[in-house]
Amino acid sequence: MRGGNNQFTLKSYKKLFESLYPQLCVFAYKYLNDLDLSKDIVQEVFLKVWEDKIAFENESHATGFFYKSVKNKSLNYLKSKQYKSTERYELANMEAYETEEFYMSEAVVIETSAVIENAISTLPEKAAKVIRLSIEDYTNNQIADELSISINTVKDHKKVAYRKLRSLLSFLTVR
């Protein structure tokens, strides 16, 4: 993760960026409700960490740092005069956004979604499509129509996919 001088190498930083960027954008969007602004804020956080040559003990520490930084930058934006003068500013929403419960629940949902999406992407292409449509509340009939396959084929893809996903995601179950 870090180079010999206790800092990121460009390659390791690019890898970290690619793995965290999508979920951090979604996370910022939960606060800002503006995708372009969310992307800008996440990019600014990554740029600042690179410029300041911040070193991390491990990947988990880095992930936590990025989530906290994106949260703080998003909240700072919401508190800014620019935002207050152009948007409907509701103090009650700000207080809810600032709670540790909101932060933790959103971070957990987004990280879990990323883990599930990574697991789905390991499935055969058709099975992955079936599962994604199923997650979007498509019925088996709708999936069959959408993918031009039989309902039995949809069921077979689901069976194979669920078996593999259960194995890949077993660590998520509460015991």
Side-chain angles (χ1 to χ4, degrees):
M1 171 158 207
R2 287 182 247 143
N5 58 359
N6 211 28
Q7 295 166 357
F8 283 107
T9 63
L10 184 57
K11 186 176 179 182
S12 66
Y13 198 67
K14 184 175 187 254
K15 186 177 176 199
L16 182 72
F17 176 84
E18 288 169 352
S19 71
L20 286 179
Y21 180 76
Q23 56 252 47
L24 286 172
C25 288
V26 172
F27 183 65
Y29 183 81
K30 297 283 185 180
Y31 289 97
L32 304 168
N33 210 28
D34 179 325
L35 190 56
D36 288 333
L37 179 61
S38 299
K39 289 176 179 178
D40 289 346
I41 282 183
V42 173
Q43 288 169 6
E44 287 172 23
V45 168
F46 270 96
L47 190 60
K48 180 94 173 104
V49 168
W50 179 255
E51 287 173 348
D52 291 352
K53 296 178 173 37
I54 297 173
F56 298 100
E57 295 169 24
N58 54 44
E59 194 166 328
S60 175
H61 182 244
T63 300
F65 179 87
F66 278 99
Y67 269 94
K68 282 269 194 213
S69 298
V70 168
K71 170 195 161 189
N72 292 339
K73 198 153 185 60
S74 297
L75 290 175
N76 287 343
Y77 177 80
L78 291 175
K79 291 175 187 174
S80 72
K81 285 181 184 169
Q82 175 192 0
Y83 178 77
K84 287 180 190 177
S85 65
T86 59
E87 303 289 335
R88 223 176 60 224
Y89 179 76
E90 296 176 24
L91 191 59
N93 282 354
M94 276 304 296
E95 287 170 0
Y97 287 164
E98 287 179 322
T99 65
E100 193 66 19
E101 290 80 17
F102 179 84
Y103 165 71
M104 288 305 293
S105 67
E106 292 302 326
V108 167
V109 166
I110 291 163
E111 281 295 309
T112 304
S113 298
V115 166
I116 292 169
E117 179 52 38
N118 284 341
I120 291 171
S121 70
T122 68
L123 297 172
E125 186 181 346
K126 280 276 194 198
K129 284 180 180 176
V130 166
I131 291 301
R132 286 191 180 102
L133 291 172
S134 183
I135 288 170
E136 293 175 24
D137 288 331
Y138 279 60
T139 65
N140 284 352
N141 286 340
Q142 291 170 323
I143 294 170
D145 290 344
E146 180 79 20
L147 299 178
S148 303
I149 56 178
S150 74
I151 291 175
N152 284 337
T153 305
V154 169
K155 290 177 182 176
D156 288 343
H157 281 309
K158 278 186 170 184
K159 199 184 310 178
V160 167
Y162 287 144
R163 191 177 310 125
K164 186 165 183 186
L165 290 174
R166 246 184 246 109
S167 168
L168 287 171
L169 301 172
S170 62
F171 68 94
L172 290 176
T173 57
V174 179
R175 299 188 194 274

